[in-house]
Amino acid sequence: MRFQDAAPDARAVVYAGIQADPLVAHVASLLAEGMAAERWLARAVMNGERTDPEPWRRIFPLLFGPAADPALRDHAARVLDASLGVASRGDAARSQYRGAIVEELAARLLAGRATAVRRERRVLFDGVRAEIHPYDVTVESGDKPEVYDCKWGARGINADVLNQLDDARRHAADEDVELAVAIVVFDARVSCELRLARSTAEHGGTWLVALEGLDTLAEKRA
Amino acid sequence: MSSQSEPTSPQPPDVIERAAAAYRALADLAETIEDEWQYVTDLVDAYLPGIRMLAGRDAELELEVVVAVDEAIAEIASITDPHKAIDWLSTFPHVVALAVGGDVDRPSEVAPPDDAAPPEPEPDEDSPFRILLGGDR
């Protein structure tokens, strides 16, 4: 088993431009250091219709109310401002930005405990046709590699994604490699579990990381 | 003499019931995506009771909380795209719960749908990460 850069197609070239937009890194950086309530704020705003910050400040009194800690309020204001920057890009662009942000966020959290964090990589196995789609994020340690697919919402969980992850896990096992496979979803855990419960694709060996548990990505592995 | 005093803010059941009604309307919009009808139904079954349970809290809600929930209701009421409505079906309950200081996310009470795919291990339970992390989380 080995990792390989994905051959860039036209879609990937366009998407790479979005991934490289400083706004993506800025939002991901704020969310990586933010608390769960700020991540819900970001999800709401980047899903939202209104681009005026005041209604959002009123919707989240925990972050912006008079009782909120000033440091938290200041950080949440930066999350709000950055999220509105994404929301104001329009419906077509924002969906691509949101996906890129989840990928960057996952990579940044993983970088808290791993050095070999890579993006847009394929995994090749002996005697197995290579998958077309690269993995969003990989941790390419020699003994305990990991691959991640990242989604903005639970609606993105589908059989193709689950099958590719599970196939990779099984092919690695055939080569006596313990490949950890996971799906990172910037959505509520319950919504992801409901989605998985209806799926007939094998996913018992796939780790689910939902919005509430994103910080587990940064936890040290044994 | 003084007349009977008016409440300074609506009582919890009022605003929470408004939230539940808005959520139901959001689901009606989301259900127009035929391929997602089952998912929408599952989300409503999971979250609507949780939203209504927020009304069972004893404490009277602060005015800023009522305003927050009404603003969130206004946000989802402005949605016309059913795909966006689906995204909000999982977001709105948590936004309301954060405002109220309650919880709509009780995984232990989210039973698998009756006609769901055959039972499989919970994603985390057999996760290689759980094993590698060496403990319960």
mmCIF file with all atom_site columns, all heavy atoms in Angstrom, chain A residues 43 49-50 58 187 190 195 198 203 207 212 222, chain B residues 36 38 42 71 75 90-91 105 113 115 120 124 132:
data_model
loop_
_atom_site.group_PDB
_atom_site.id
_atom_site.type_symbol
_atom_site.label_atom_id
_atom_site.label_alt_id
_atom_site.label_comp_id
_atom_site.label_asym_id
_atom_site.label_entity_id
_atom_site.label_seq_id
_atom_site.pdbx_PDB_ins_code
_atom_site.Cartn_x
_atom_site.Cartn_y
_atom_site.Cartn_z
_atom_site.occupancy
_atom_site.B_iso_or_equiv
_atom_site.pdbx_formal_charge
_atom_site.auth_seq_id
_atom_site.auth_comp_id
_atom_site.auth_asym_id
_atom_site.auth_atom_id
_atom_site.pdbx_PDB_model_num
ATOM 1   N N   . ARG A 1 43  ? -21.833 27.069 11.164 1.00 0.00 ? 43  ARG A N   1
ATOM 2   C CA  . ARG A 1 43  ? -22.695 26.246 10.303 1.00 0.00 ? 43  ARG A CA  1
ATOM 3   C C   . ARG A 1 43  ? -23.980 26.997 9.966  1.00 0.00 ? 43  ARG A C   1
ATOM 4   O O   . ARG A 1 43  ? -24.434 26.991 8.822  1.00 0.00 ? 43  ARG A O   1
ATOM 5   C CB  . ARG A 1 43  ? -23.010 24.907 10.973 1.00 0.00 ? 43  ARG A CB  1
ATOM 6   C CG  . ARG A 1 43  ? -23.958 24.063 10.133 1.00 0.00 ? 43  ARG A CG  1
ATOM 7   C CD  . ARG A 1 43  ? -24.087 22.619 10.564 1.00 0.00 ? 43  ARG A CD  1
ATOM 8   N NE  . ARG A 1 43  ? -25.187 22.006 9.836  1.00 0.00 ? 43  ARG A NE  1
ATOM 9   C CZ  . ARG A 1 43  ? -25.107 21.531 8.588  1.00 0.00 ? 43  ARG A CZ  1
ATOM 10  N NH1 . ARG A 1 43  ? -23.959 21.558 7.949  1.00 0.00 ? 43  ARG A NH1 1
ATOM 11  N NH2 . ARG A 1 43  ? -26.171 21.024 7.984  1.00 0.00 ? 43  ARG A NH2 1
ATOM 12  N N   . GLU A 1 49  ? -29.487 32.636 5.203  1.00 0.00 ? 49  GLU A N   1
ATOM 13  C CA  . GLU A 1 49  ? -29.962 33.553 4.168  1.00 0.00 ? 49  GLU A CA  1
ATOM 14  C C   . GLU A 1 49  ? -29.481 34.978 4.434  1.00 0.00 ? 49  GLU A C   1
ATOM 15  O O   . GLU A 1 49  ? -29.195 35.724 3.507  1.00 0.00 ? 49  GLU A O   1
ATOM 16  C CB  . GLU A 1 49  ? -31.497 33.550 4.138  1.00 0.00 ? 49  GLU A CB  1
ATOM 17  C CG  . GLU A 1 49  ? -32.115 32.209 3.784  1.00 0.00 ? 49  GLU A CG  1
ATOM 18  C CD  . GLU A 1 49  ? -31.862 31.828 2.335  1.00 0.00 ? 49  GLU A CD  1
ATOM 19  O OE1 . GLU A 1 49  ? -32.164 32.636 1.444  1.00 0.00 ? 49  GLU A OE1 1
ATOM 20  O OE2 . GLU A 1 49  ? -31.341 30.725 2.105  1.00 0.00 ? 49  GLU A OE2 1
ATOM 21  N N   . ARG A 1 50  ? -29.416 35.354 5.699  1.00 0.00 ? 50  ARG A N   1
ATOM 22  C CA  . ARG A 1 50  ? -29.127 36.744 6.020  1.00 0.00 ? 50  ARG A CA  1
ATOM 23  C C   . ARG A 1 50  ? -27.622 36.998 6.137  1.00 0.00 ? 50  ARG A C   1
ATOM 24  O O   . ARG A 1 50  ? -26.906 36.197 6.730  1.00 0.00 ? 50  ARG A O   1
ATOM 25  C CB  . ARG A 1 50  ? -29.831 37.141 7.323  1.00 0.00 ? 50  ARG A CB  1
ATOM 26  C CG  . ARG A 1 50  ? -31.336 37.234 7.149  1.00 0.00 ? 50  ARG A CG  1
ATOM 27  C CD  . ARG A 1 50  ? -32.040 37.598 8.425  1.00 0.00 ? 50  ARG A CD  1
ATOM 28  N NE  . ARG A 1 50  ? -32.114 36.482 9.347  1.00 0.00 ? 50  ARG A NE  1
ATOM 29  C CZ  . ARG A 1 50  ? -32.870 36.498 10.459 1.00 0.00 ? 50  ARG A CZ  1
ATOM 30  N NH1 . ARG A 1 50  ? -33.581 37.549 10.757 1.00 0.00 ? 50  ARG A NH1 1
ATOM 31  N NH2 . ARG A 1 50  ? -32.899 35.454 11.245 1.00 0.00 ? 50  ARG A NH2 1
ATOM 32  N N   . ARG A 1 58  ? -28.114 38.169 17.701 1.00 0.00 ? 58  ARG A N   1
ATOM 33  C CA  . ARG A 1 58  ? -29.282 37.967 18.568 1.00 0.00 ? 58  ARG A CA  1
ATOM 34  C C   . ARG A 1 58  ? -29.628 36.478 18.690 1.00 0.00 ? 58  ARG A C   1
ATOM 35  O O   . ARG A 1 58  ? -30.146 36.043 19.715 1.00 0.00 ? 58  ARG A O   1
ATOM 36  C CB  . ARG A 1 58  ? -30.488 38.753 18.024 1.00 0.00 ? 58  ARG A CB  1
ATOM 37  C CG  . ARG A 1 58  ? -30.343 40.259 18.191 1.00 0.00 ? 58  ARG A CG  1
ATOM 38  C CD  . ARG A 1 58  ? -31.659 40.986 17.911 1.00 0.00 ? 58  ARG A CD  1
ATOM 39  N NE  . ARG A 1 58  ? -32.040 40.960 16.510 1.00 0.00 ? 58  ARG A NE  1
ATOM 40  C CZ  . ARG A 1 58  ? -31.681 41.890 15.620 1.00 0.00 ? 58  ARG A CZ  1
ATOM 41  N NH1 . ARG A 1 58  ? -30.928 42.892 15.983 1.00 0.00 ? 58  ARG A NH1 1
ATOM 42  N NH2 . ARG A 1 58  ? -32.082 41.795 14.359 1.00 0.00 ? 58  ARG A NH2 1
ATOM 43  N N   . ASP A 1 187 ? -21.663 18.541 10.759 1.00 0.00 ? 187 ASP A N   1
ATOM 44  C CA  . ASP A 1 187 ? -23.114 18.489 10.949 1.00 0.00 ? 187 ASP A CA  1
ATOM 45  C C   . ASP A 1 187 ? -23.371 17.728 12.257 1.00 0.00 ? 187 ASP A C   1
ATOM 46  O O   . ASP A 1 187 ? -22.458 17.103 12.821 1.00 0.00 ? 187 ASP A O   1
ATOM 47  C CB  . ASP A 1 187 ? -23.763 17.775 9.765  1.00 0.00 ? 187 ASP A CB  1
ATOM 48  C CG  . ASP A 1 187 ? -25.240 18.122 9.586  1.00 0.00 ? 187 ASP A CG  1
ATOM 49  O OD1 . ASP A 1 187 ? -25.859 18.663 10.532 1.00 0.00 ? 187 ASP A OD1 1
ATOM 50  O OD2 . ASP A 1 187 ? -25.783 17.834 8.505  1.00 0.00 ? 187 ASP A OD2 1
ATOM 51  N N   . VAL A 1 190 ? -26.396 13.284 15.385 1.00 0.00 ? 190 VAL A N   1
ATOM 52  C CA  . VAL A 1 190 ? -27.653 12.549 15.202 1.00 0.00 ? 190 VAL A CA  1
ATOM 53  C C   . VAL A 1 190 ? -28.016 12.469 13.717 1.00 0.00 ? 190 VAL A C   1
ATOM 54  O O   . VAL A 1 190 ? -28.428 11.415 13.224 1.00 0.00 ? 190 VAL A O   1
ATOM 55  C CB  . VAL A 1 190 ? -28.789 13.215 16.006 1.00 0.00 ? 190 VAL A CB  1
ATOM 56  C CG1 . VAL A 1 190 ? -30.144 12.700 15.561 1.00 0.00 ? 190 VAL A CG1 1
ATOM 57  C CG2 . VAL A 1 190 ? -28.596 12.957 17.497 1.00 0.00 ? 190 VAL A CG2 1
ATOM 58  N N   . ARG A 1 195 ? -28.465 9.086  8.892  1.00 0.00 ? 195 ARG A N   1
ATOM 59  C CA  . ARG A 1 195 ? -28.069 8.836  7.504  1.00 0.00 ? 195 ARG A CA  1
ATOM 60  C C   . ARG A 1 195 ? -27.411 7.457  7.382  1.00 0.00 ? 195 ARG A C   1
ATOM 61  O O   . ARG A 1 195 ? -27.701 6.700  6.458  1.00 0.00 ? 195 ARG A O   1
ATOM 62  C CB  . ARG A 1 195 ? -27.097 9.931  7.073  1.00 0.00 ? 195 ARG A CB  1
ATOM 63  C CG  . ARG A 1 195 ? -26.867 10.037 5.585  1.00 0.00 ? 195 ARG A CG  1
ATOM 64  C CD  . ARG A 1 195 ? -28.060 10.660 4.912  1.00 0.00 ? 195 ARG A CD  1
ATOM 65  N NE  . ARG A 1 195 ? -27.794 10.938 3.511  1.00 0.00 ? 195 ARG A NE  1
ATOM 66  C CZ  . ARG A 1 195 ? -28.694 11.446 2.688  1.00 0.00 ? 195 ARG A CZ  1
ATOM 67  N NH1 . ARG A 1 195 ? -29.910 11.738 3.125  1.00 0.00 ? 195 ARG A NH1 1
ATOM 68  N NH2 . ARG A 1 195 ? -28.401 11.671 1.434  1.00 0.00 ? 195 ARG A NH2 1
ATOM 69  N N   . ARG A 1 198 ? -29.679 4.292  7.513  1.00 0.00 ? 198 ARG A N   1
ATOM 70  C CA  . ARG A 1 198 ? -30.421 3.934  6.297  1.00 0.00 ? 198 ARG A CA  1
ATOM 71  C C   . ARG A 1 198 ? -29.512 3.400  5.195  1.00 0.00 ? 198 ARG A C   1
ATOM 72  O O   . ARG A 1 198 ? -29.998 3.001  4.144  1.00 0.00 ? 198 ARG A O   1
ATOM 73  C CB  . ARG A 1 198 ? -31.149 5.163  5.757  1.00 0.00 ? 198 ARG A CB  1
ATOM 74  C CG  . ARG A 1 198 ? -32.267 5.672  6.650  1.00 0.00 ? 198 ARG A CG  1
ATOM 75  C CD  . ARG A 1 198 ? -33.501 4.821  6.523  1.00 0.00 ? 198 ARG A CD  1
ATOM 76  N NE  . ARG A 1 198 ? -34.572 5.278  7.412  1.00 0.00 ? 198 ARG A NE  1
ATOM 77  C CZ  . ARG A 1 198 ? -35.687 4.595  7.620  1.00 0.00 ? 198 ARG A CZ  1
ATOM 78  N NH1 . ARG A 1 198 ? -35.879 3.431  7.017  1.00 0.00 ? 198 ARG A NH1 1
ATOM 79  N NH2 . ARG A 1 198 ? -36.609 5.050  8.442  1.00 0.00 ? 198 ARG A NH2 1
ATOM 80  N N   . HIS A 1 203 ? -20.181 0.073  6.813  1.00 0.00 ? 203 HIS A N   1
ATOM 81  C CA  . HIS A 1 203 ? -19.504 1.208  7.441  1.00 0.00 ? 203 HIS A CA  1
ATOM 82  C C   . HIS A 1 203 ? -19.151 0.919  8.904  1.00 0.00 ? 203 HIS A C   1
ATOM 83  O O   . HIS A 1 203 ? -18.811 1.827  9.655  1.00 0.00 ? 203 HIS A O   1
ATOM 84  C CB  . HIS A 1 203 ? -20.367 2.472  7.360  1.00 0.00 ? 203 HIS A CB  1
ATOM 85  C CG  . HIS A 1 203 ? -21.730 2.322  7.985  1.00 0.00 ? 203 HIS A CG  1
ATOM 86  N ND1 . HIS A 1 203 ? -22.820 1.876  7.269  1.00 0.00 ? 203 HIS A ND1 1
ATOM 87  C CD2 . HIS A 1 203 ? -22.171 2.542  9.226  1.00 0.00 ? 203 HIS A CD2 1
ATOM 88  C CE1 . HIS A 1 203 ? -23.880 1.845  8.067  1.00 0.00 ? 203 HIS A CE1 1
ATOM 89  N NE2 . HIS A 1 203 ? -23.501 2.241  9.262  1.00 0.00 ? 203 HIS A NE2 1
ATOM 90  N N   . TRP A 1 207 ? -14.921 5.312  11.115 1.00 0.00 ? 207 TRP A N   1
ATOM 91  C CA  . TRP A 1 207 ? -15.104 6.225  12.243 1.00 0.00 ? 207 TRP A CA  1
ATOM 92  C C   . TRP A 1 207 ? -15.895 7.435  11.766 1.00 0.00 ? 207 TRP A C   1
ATOM 93  O O   . TRP A 1 207 ? -15.575 8.010  10.721 1.00 0.00 ? 207 TRP A O   1
ATOM 94  C CB  . TRP A 1 207 ? -13.742 6.662  12.758 1.00 0.00 ? 207 TRP A CB  1
ATOM 95  C CG  . TRP A 1 207 ? -13.749 7.505  13.995 1.00 0.00 ? 207 TRP A CG  1
ATOM 96  C CD1 . TRP A 1 207 ? -14.652 7.472  15.013 1.00 0.00 ? 207 TRP A CD1 1
ATOM 97  C CD2 . TRP A 1 207 ? -12.788 8.505  14.346 1.00 0.00 ? 207 TRP A CD2 1
ATOM 98  N NE1 . TRP A 1 207 ? -14.311 8.380  15.987 1.00 0.00 ? 207 TRP A NE1 1
ATOM 99  C CE2 . TRP A 1 207 ? -13.169 9.026  15.604 1.00 0.00 ? 207 TRP A CE2 1
ATOM 100 C CE3 . TRP A 1 207 ? -11.640 8.993  13.734 1.00 0.00 ? 207 TRP A CE3 1
ATOM 101 C CZ2 . TRP A 1 207 ? -12.432 10.020 16.243 1.00 0.00 ? 207 TRP A CZ2 1
ATOM 102 C CZ3 . TRP A 1 207 ? -10.916 9.984  14.380 1.00 0.00 ? 207 TRP A CZ3 1
ATOM 103 C CH2 . TRP A 1 207 ? -11.303 10.490 15.618 1.00 0.00 ? 207 TRP A CH2 1
ATOM 104 N N   . GLU A 1 212 ? -19.939 17.829 16.804 1.00 0.00 ? 212 GLU A N   1
ATOM 105 C CA  . GLU A 1 212 ? -19.762 17.873 18.261 1.00 0.00 ? 212 GLU A CA  1
ATOM 106 C C   . GLU A 1 212 ? -18.451 17.234 18.717 1.00 0.00 ? 212 GLU A C   1
ATOM 107 O O   . GLU A 1 212 ? -17.981 17.505 19.818 1.00 0.00 ? 212 GLU A O   1
ATOM 108 C CB  . GLU A 1 212 ? -20.917 17.156 18.961 1.00 0.00 ? 212 GLU A CB  1
ATOM 109 C CG  . GLU A 1 212 ? -22.290 17.750 18.689 1.00 0.00 ? 212 GLU A CG  1
ATOM 110 C CD  . GLU A 1 212 ? -23.002 17.053 17.537 1.00 0.00 ? 212 GLU A CD  1
ATOM 111 O OE1 . GLU A 1 212 ? -22.311 16.659 16.565 1.00 0.00 ? 212 GLU A OE1 1
ATOM 112 O OE2 . GLU A 1 212 ? -24.235 16.900 17.598 1.00 0.00 ? 212 GLU A OE2 1
ATOM 113 N N   . ALA A 1 222 ? -2.954  6.129  20.706 1.00 0.00 ? 222 ALA A N   1
ATOM 114 C CA  . ALA A 1 222 ? -2.130  5.282  21.585 1.00 0.00 ? 222 ALA A CA  1
ATOM 115 C C   . ALA A 1 222 ? -0.963  4.705  20.796 1.00 0.00 ? 222 ALA A C   1
ATOM 116 O O   . ALA A 1 222 ? -1.059  4.485  19.605 1.00 0.00 ? 222 ALA A O   1
ATOM 117 C CB  . ALA A 1 222 ? -2.964  4.152  22.144 1.00 0.00 ? 222 ALA A CB  1
ATOM 118 N N   . GLU B 2 36  ? -35.062 12.519 -0.697 1.00 0.00 ? 36  GLU B N   1
ATOM 119 C CA  . GLU B 2 36  ? -34.655 12.732 0.697  1.00 0.00 ? 36  GLU B CA  1
ATOM 120 C C   . GLU B 2 36  ? -35.834 12.617 1.659  1.00 0.00 ? 36  GLU B C   1
ATOM 121 O O   . GLU B 2 36  ? -35.696 12.947 2.837  1.00 0.00 ? 36  GLU B O   1
ATOM 122 C CB  . GLU B 2 36  ? -33.991 14.111 0.845  1.00 0.00 ? 36  GLU B CB  1
ATOM 123 C CG  . GLU B 2 36  ? -32.725 14.299 0.019  1.00 0.00 ? 36  GLU B CG  1
ATOM 124 C CD  . GLU B 2 36  ? -31.552 13.462 0.536  1.00 0.00 ? 36  GLU B CD  1
ATOM 125 O OE1 . GLU B 2 36  ? -31.729 12.716 1.529  1.00 0.00 ? 36  GLU B OE1 1
ATOM 126 O OE2 . GLU B 2 36  ? -30.470 13.552 -0.062 1.00 0.00 ? 36  GLU B OE2 1
ATOM 127 N N   . GLN B 2 38  ? -37.298 10.149 3.143  1.00 0.00 ? 38  GLN B N   1
ATOM 128 C CA  . GLN B 2 38  ? -37.075 9.299  4.312  1.00 0.00 ? 38  GLN B CA  1
ATOM 129 C C   . GLN B 2 38  ? -36.133 9.957  5.319  1.00 0.00 ? 38  GLN B C   1
ATOM 130 O O   . GLN B 2 38  ? -36.370 9.908  6.533  1.00 0.00 ? 38  GLN B O   1
ATOM 131 C CB  . GLN B 2 38  ? -36.494 7.947  3.883  1.00 0.00 ? 38  GLN B CB  1
ATOM 132 C CG  . GLN B 2 38  ? -36.383 6.944  5.029  1.00 0.00 ? 38  GLN B CG  1
ATOM 133 C CD  . GLN B 2 38  ? -37.740 6.582  5.596  1.00 0.00 ? 38  GLN B CD  1
ATOM 134 O OE1 . GLN B 2 38  ? -38.551 5.969  4.928  1.00 0.00 ? 38  GLN B OE1 1
ATOM 135 N NE2 . GLN B 2 38  ? -37.984 6.969  6.850  1.00 0.00 ? 38  GLN B NE2 1
ATOM 136 N N   . ASP B 2 42  ? -36.936 10.972 9.123  1.00 0.00 ? 42  ASP B N   1
ATOM 137 C CA  . ASP B 2 42  ? -36.112 10.512 10.248 1.00 0.00 ? 42  ASP B CA  1
ATOM 138 C C   . ASP B 2 42  ? -35.633 11.685 11.109 1.00 0.00 ? 42  ASP B C   1
ATOM 139 O O   . ASP B 2 42  ? -35.611 11.603 12.346 1.00 0.00 ? 42  ASP B O   1
ATOM 140 C CB  . ASP B 2 42  ? -34.903 9.723  9.738  1.00 0.00 ? 42  ASP B CB  1
ATOM 141 C CG  . ASP B 2 42  ? -35.295 8.364  9.146  1.00 0.00 ? 42  ASP B CG  1
ATOM 142 O OD1 . ASP B 2 42  ? -36.429 7.902  9.403  1.00 0.00 ? 42  ASP B OD1 1
ATOM 143 O OD2 . ASP B 2 42  ? -34.468 7.773  8.423  1.00 0.00 ? 42  ASP B OD2 1
ATOM 144 N N   . GLU B 2 71  ? -35.706 34.983 16.285 1.00 0.00 ? 71  GLU B N   1
ATOM 145 C CA  . GLU B 2 71  ? -34.817 35.315 15.154 1.00 0.00 ? 71  GLU B CA  1
ATOM 146 C C   . GLU B 2 71  ? -34.462 34.056 14.362 1.00 0.00 ? 71  GLU B C   1
ATOM 147 O O   . GLU B 2 71  ? -34.380 34.090 13.132 1.00 0.00 ? 71  GLU B O   1
ATOM 148 C CB  . GLU B 2 71  ? -33.543 35.998 15.648 1.00 0.00 ? 71  GLU B CB  1
ATOM 149 C CG  . GLU B 2 71  ? -33.718 37.453 16.033 1.00 0.00 ? 71  GLU B CG  1
ATOM 150 C CD  . GLU B 2 71  ? -33.755 38.388 14.823 1.00 0.00 ? 71  GLU B CD  1
ATOM 151 O OE1 . GLU B 2 71  ? -33.882 37.912 13.686 1.00 0.00 ? 71  GLU B OE1 1
ATOM 152 O OE2 . GLU B 2 71  ? -33.677 39.614 15.044 1.00 0.00 ? 71  GLU B OE2 1
ATOM 153 N N   . GLU B 2 75  ? -35.254 33.160 10.469 1.00 0.00 ? 75  GLU B N   1
ATOM 154 C CA  . GLU B 2 75  ? -34.253 32.699 9.498  1.00 0.00 ? 75  GLU B CA  1
ATOM 155 C C   . GLU B 2 75  ? -34.781 31.505 8.697  1.00 0.00 ? 75  GLU B C   1
ATOM 156 O O   . GLU B 2 75  ? -34.708 31.497 7.469  1.00 0.00 ? 75  GLU B O   1
ATOM 157 C CB  . GLU B 2 75  ? -32.951 32.325 10.229 1.00 0.00 ? 75  GLU B CB  1
ATOM 158 C CG  . GLU B 2 75  ? -31.867 31.750 9.328  1.00 0.00 ? 75  GLU B CG  1
ATOM 159 C CD  . GLU B 2 75  ? -31.369 32.724 8.266  1.00 0.00 ? 75  GLU B CD  1
ATOM 160 O OE1 . GLU B 2 75  ? -31.420 33.937 8.505  1.00 0.00 ? 75  GLU B OE1 1
ATOM 161 O OE2 . GLU B 2 75  ? -30.933 32.250 7.193  1.00 0.00 ? 75  GLU B OE2 1
ATOM 162 N N   . SER B 2 90  ? -31.154 19.809 10.614 1.00 0.00 ? 90  SER B N   1
ATOM 163 C CA  . SER B 2 90  ? -30.240 19.334 11.655 1.00 0.00 ? 90  SER B CA  1
ATOM 164 C C   . SER B 2 90  ? -29.589 20.481 12.410 1.00 0.00 ? 90  SER B C   1
ATOM 165 O O   . SER B 2 90  ? -28.998 20.262 13.471 1.00 0.00 ? 90  SER B O   1
ATOM 166 C CB  . SER B 2 90  ? -29.144 18.451 11.033 1.00 0.00 ? 90  SER B CB  1
ATOM 167 O OG  . SER B 2 90  ? -28.393 19.185 10.080 1.00 0.00 ? 90  SER B OG  1
ATOM 168 N N   . THR B 2 91  ? -29.693 21.688 11.885 1.00 0.00 ? 91  THR B N   1
ATOM 169 C CA  . THR B 2 91  ? -29.021 22.836 12.498 1.00 0.00 ? 91  THR B CA  1
ATOM 170 C C   . THR B 2 91  ? -29.937 23.591 13.459 1.00 0.00 ? 91  THR B C   1
ATOM 171 O O   . THR B 2 91  ? -29.539 23.942 14.584 1.00 0.00 ? 91  THR B O   1
ATOM 172 C CB  . THR B 2 91  ? -28.526 23.799 11.392 1.00 0.00 ? 91  THR B CB  1
ATOM 173 O OG1 . THR B 2 91  ? -27.734 23.063 10.460 1.00 0.00 ? 91  THR B OG1 1
ATOM 174 C CG2 . THR B 2 91  ? -27.704 24.931 11.983 1.00 0.00 ? 91  THR B CG2 1
ATOM 175 N N   . ASP B 2 105 ? -30.100 16.876 21.666 1.00 0.00 ? 105 ASP B N   1
ATOM 176 C CA  . ASP B 2 105 ? -29.218 15.864 21.090 1.00 0.00 ? 105 ASP B CA  1
ATOM 177 C C   . ASP B 2 105 ? -28.994 14.751 22.102 1.00 0.00 ? 105 ASP B C   1
ATOM 178 O O   . ASP B 2 105 ? -28.061 14.794 22.887 1.00 0.00 ? 105 ASP B O   1
ATOM 179 C CB  . ASP B 2 105 ? -27.889 16.515 20.725 1.00 0.00 ? 105 ASP B CB  1
ATOM 180 C CG  . ASP B 2 105 ? -27.113 15.661 19.752 1.00 0.00 ? 105 ASP B CG  1
ATOM 181 O OD1 . ASP B 2 105 ? -27.676 14.681 19.243 1.00 0.00 ? 105 ASP B OD1 1
ATOM 182 O OD2 . ASP B 2 105 ? -25.946 15.988 19.509 1.00 0.00 ? 105 ASP B OD2 1
ATOM 183 N N   . PRO B 2 113 ? -34.408 3.576  12.849 1.00 0.00 ? 113 PRO B N   1
ATOM 184 C CA  . PRO B 2 113 ? -35.739 3.467  12.253 1.00 0.00 ? 113 PRO B CA  1
ATOM 185 C C   . PRO B 2 113 ? -36.156 2.005  12.149 1.00 0.00 ? 113 PRO B C   1
ATOM 186 O O   . PRO B 2 113 ? -35.315 1.119  11.971 1.00 0.00 ? 113 PRO B O   1
ATOM 187 C CB  . PRO B 2 113 ? -35.549 4.091  10.862 1.00 0.00 ? 113 PRO B CB  1
ATOM 188 C CG  . PRO B 2 113 ? -34.304 4.900  10.961 1.00 0.00 ? 113 PRO B CG  1
ATOM 189 C CD  . PRO B 2 113 ? -33.448 4.254  11.990 1.00 0.00 ? 113 PRO B CD  1
ATOM 190 N N   . ASP B 2 115 ? -37.541 0.338  9.838  1.00 0.00 ? 115 ASP B N   1
ATOM 191 C CA  . ASP B 2 115 ? -37.235 -0.325 8.579  1.00 0.00 ? 115 ASP B CA  1
ATOM 192 C C   . ASP B 2 115 ? -35.838 0.034  8.077  1.00 0.00 ? 115 ASP B C   1
ATOM 193 O O   . ASP B 2 115 ? -35.585 0.079  6.886  1.00 0.00 ? 115 ASP B O   1
ATOM 194 C CB  . ASP B 2 115 ? -38.273 0.037  7.528  1.00 0.00 ? 115 ASP B CB  1
ATOM 195 C CG  . ASP B 2 115 ? -38.420 1.540  7.376  1.00 0.00 ? 115 ASP B CG  1
ATOM 196 O OD1 . ASP B 2 115 ? -37.960 2.272  8.266  1.00 0.00 ? 115 ASP B OD1 1
ATOM 197 O OD2 . ASP B 2 115 ? -38.989 1.981  6.366  1.00 0.00 ? 115 ASP B OD2 1
ATOM 198 N N   . GLU B 2 120 ? -25.847 -2.802 12.295 1.00 0.00 ? 120 GLU B N   1
ATOM 199 C CA  . GLU B 2 120 ? -24.399 -2.890 12.197 1.00 0.00 ? 120 GLU B CA  1
ATOM 200 C C   . GLU B 2 120 ? -23.831 -2.262 13.449 1.00 0.00 ? 120 GLU B C   1
ATOM 201 O O   . GLU B 2 120 ? -24.532 -1.520 14.149 1.00 0.00 ? 120 GLU B O   1
ATOM 202 C CB  . GLU B 2 120 ? -23.908 -2.116 10.967 1.00 0.00 ? 120 GLU B CB  1
ATOM 203 C CG  . GLU B 2 120 ? -24.375 -2.731 9.655  1.00 0.00 ? 120 GLU B CG  1
ATOM 204 C CD  . GLU B 2 120 ? -23.992 -1.875 8.458  1.00 0.00 ? 120 GLU B CD  1
ATOM 205 O OE1 . GLU B 2 120 ? -23.376 -0.828 8.664  1.00 0.00 ? 120 GLU B OE1 1
ATOM 206 O OE2 . GLU B 2 120 ? -24.323 -2.285 7.356  1.00 0.00 ? 120 GLU B OE2 1
ATOM 207 N N   . ASP B 2 124 ? -18.571 4.291  16.085 1.00 0.00 ? 124 ASP B N   1
ATOM 208 C CA  . ASP B 2 124 ? -17.471 4.490  17.022 1.00 0.00 ? 124 ASP B CA  1
ATOM 209 C C   . ASP B 2 124 ? -17.091 3.215  17.757 1.00 0.00 ? 124 ASP B C   1
ATOM 210 O O   . ASP B 2 124 ? -15.961 3.044  18.175 1.00 0.00 ? 124 ASP B O   1
ATOM 211 C CB  . ASP B 2 124 ? -17.828 5.548  18.056 1.00 0.00 ? 124 ASP B CB  1
ATOM 212 C CG  . ASP B 2 124 ? -17.453 6.939  17.556 1.00 0.00 ? 124 ASP B CG  1
ATOM 213 O OD1 . ASP B 2 124 ? -16.835 7.022  16.488 1.00 0.00 ? 124 ASP B OD1 1
ATOM 214 O OD2 . ASP B 2 124 ? -17.766 7.894  18.234 1.00 0.00 ? 124 ASP B OD2 1
ATOM 215 N N   . LEU B 2 132 ? -7.329  2.181  18.799 1.00 0.00 ? 132 LEU B N   1
ATOM 216 C CA  . LEU B 2 132 ? -6.009  2.805  18.842 1.00 0.00 ? 132 LEU B CA  1
ATOM 217 C C   . LEU B 2 132 ? -5.904  3.826  19.968 1.00 0.00 ? 132 LEU B C   1
ATOM 218 O O   . LEU B 2 132 ? -4.859  3.992  20.581 1.00 0.00 ? 132 LEU B O   1
ATOM 219 C CB  . LEU B 2 132 ? -5.717  3.483  17.498 1.00 0.00 ? 132 LEU B CB  1
ATOM 220 C CG  . LEU B 2 132 ? -5.515  2.521  16.321 1.00 0.00 ? 132 LEU B CG  1
ATOM 221 C CD1 . LEU B 2 132 ? -5.567  3.280  15.020 1.00 0.00 ? 132 LEU B CD1 1
ATOM 222 C CD2 . LEU B 2 132 ? -4.204  1.786  16.449 1.00 0.00 ? 132 LEU B CD2 1
#
